[in-house]
Amino acid sequence: MVDSPLVRPDGRVVAVVVAFNRRDLLQDALDALATQTRPLDAILVVDNASTDDSAQVARNHPAAPVVVTLERNTGGAGGFAAGLAHAVASLGADGVWLMDDDTIPTPTALAELLAAWATHPAPVDAAGSRVVWTDGRDHPMNTPRSRPGASRAALAAARRAGVVPVRSTSFVSMLVSADAVRTHGLPVADYFIWNDDFEYSCRLLRDGTGLHVPASVVEHRTKTFGATDADPGDRFYFEVRNKIWMFTRSRALGGGERLLYGASTLRRWARTVARSQARGVLLRAGGRGLRDGVLRRPRPTSEVLAGLSLASDVVVLDRSVR
């Protein structure tokens, strides 16, 4: 077995929960983290300038999480970037377990991720859980992408470990090696929402090892069951802009992958518009996203988060290149 920071018995795992105006769900998420069969070494709640009492709920929780409130809402992308940076640079994490405040892990979710990590013969950069909705169905919003072209040896090793090799995974329960963060940097905070986990996990796993661990289960308590292409309204702007940024500005994908995922994205956009009850809204939002995706490029994460809490940790780990 390959020695890895998360395999060692003394490996330190920090959960990072990004919270925004969902205090009841945050309470449930923290309750679930407090009852993990493999106890966490620390829990960090990054409050994205909530206007409810999410930060106070976290501070009052018996799990005693570290709570940091950002001075403005930086979206999921900024929250995860700041949280990852603080967990690795200041909290001494060997592994960082990422999730939103509507992610409710089952009691063995972390233990199963770590067991798969320890069993796999190659060093692992990231591992993700099986994500279900409130009724137990697999959630279509958080489907990992299997690794195309995986060798027979890699597939056999994965089967023995009870996992699936993947090319990308979701921030709804994603365990990341601190070494991978030091090498590849942080999520692109300028994405704000959507595709930040797709870009980041693809960047980590372009030459690294990623696992989908079906035995590790978390519940994603979204309001409705469905993927992000279910009539997203004005948020379609972020889908279009960020995908263009990823395909043209990121080192996460190779040339063939850009064509493969680009074609898939165009088909998905066409389905989204065709099914929409507000096509004009989507077309206008998509048009703005197309314009900004082509004419602009994402700013370095340290620039986006400058002046906020945890900014000094972000500077340490930011690998953004203009």
Side-chain angles (χ1 to χ4, degrees):
M1 180 168 49
V2 175
D3 188 22
S4 165
L6 293 184
V7 175
R8 297 200 315 264
D10 61 341
R12 182 171 170 80
V13 181
V14 176
V16 171
V17 184
V18 176
F20 180 67
N21 282 354
R22 293 188 289 204
R23 50 101 61 207
D24 292 337
L25 285 172
L26 177 61
Q27 176 75 42
D28 292 343
L30 291 173
D31 289 346
L33 290 174
T35 57
Q36 291 297 298
T37 58
R38 193 290 194 187
L40 285 149
D41 297 285
I43 300 170
L44 169 63
V45 175
V46 179
D47 174 42
N48 239 329
S50 294
T51 57
D52 65 4
D53 63 342
S54 290
Q56 195 59 44
V57 165
R59 291 190 184 97
N60 292 340
H61 197 275
V66 177
V67 182
V68 177
T69 296
L70 301 181
E71 291 79 2
R72 56 179 166 80
N73 181 11
T74 64
F80 283 118
L84 262 174
H86 191 61
V88 174
S90 293
L91 300 182
D94 295 308
V96 186
W97 192 19
L98 303 169
M99 64 195 70
D100 288 305
D101 53 5
D102 60 354
T103 304
I104 314 300
T106 58
T108 61
L110 177 58
E112 294 290 356
L113 286 173
L114 291 172
W117 198 299
T119 304
H120 198 272
V124 178
D125 295 277
S129 301
R130 178 188 172 209
V131 182
V132 301
W133 196 47
T134 54
D135 61 1
R137 287 181 291 172
D138 286 346
H139 206 307
M141 189 178 292
N142 310 112
T143 304
R145 290 167 177 81
S146 298
R147 187 164 202 103
S151 68
R152 289 184 179 180
L155 291 172
R159 281 194 299 271
R160 287 193 294 272
V163 300
V164 178
V166 292
R167 186 65 180 87
S168 71
T169 189
S170 165
F171 280 160
V172 178
S173 187
M174 175 177 170
L175 183 63
V176 184
S177 163
D179 289 339
V181 178
R182 294 186 189 98
T183 299
H184 299 285
L186 302 169
V188 182
D190 221 7
Y191 276 39
F192 194 74
I193 59 169
W194 287 10
N195 295 303
D196 48 326
D197 48 1
F198 181 31
E199 190 279 336
Y200 189 60
S201 60
C202 280
R203 190 172 3 127
L204 295 183
L205 303 180
R206 178 166 180 172
D207 300 310
T209 298
L211 306 177
H212 173 61
V213 185
S216 172
V217 180
V218 302
E219 183 180 304
H220 193 189
R221 292 186 182 170
T222 56
K223 291 180 180 179
T224 58
F225 179 81
T228 55
D229 60 357
D231 222 355
D234 282 330
R235 292 176 297 172
F236 194 51
Y237 167 84
F238 295 104
E239 161 66 13
V240 173
R241 185 198 66 176
N242 295 351
K243 278 279 175 51
I244 292 172
W245 276 354
M246 181 173 176
F247 295 147
T248 64
R249 305 285 201 267
S250 171
R251 59 183 181 276
L253 300 175
E257 292 176 320
R258 294 171 199 267
L259 293 175
L260 175 67
Y261 292 132
S264 174
T265 293
L266 289 175
R267 289 194 297 270
R268 183 170 179 169
W269 289 352
R271 287 197 305 269
T272 299
V273 173
R275 296 171 181 172
S276 174
Q277 300 300 309
R279 292 181 187 173
V281 173
L282 287 191
L283 291 172
R284 287 190 294 273
R288 294 194 305 272
L290 176 63
R291 176 200 64 203
D292 289 348
V294 171
L295 297 180
R296 292 178 47 204
R297 61 187 306 143
R299 296 167 292 167
T301 289
S302 54
E303 179 181 321
V304 175
L305 302 181
L308 301 180
S309 301
L310 310 185
S312 58
D313 290 331
V314 171
V315 170
V316 171
L317 289 163
D318 188 19
R319 304 288 181 267
S320 300
V321 178
R322 283 191 177 275

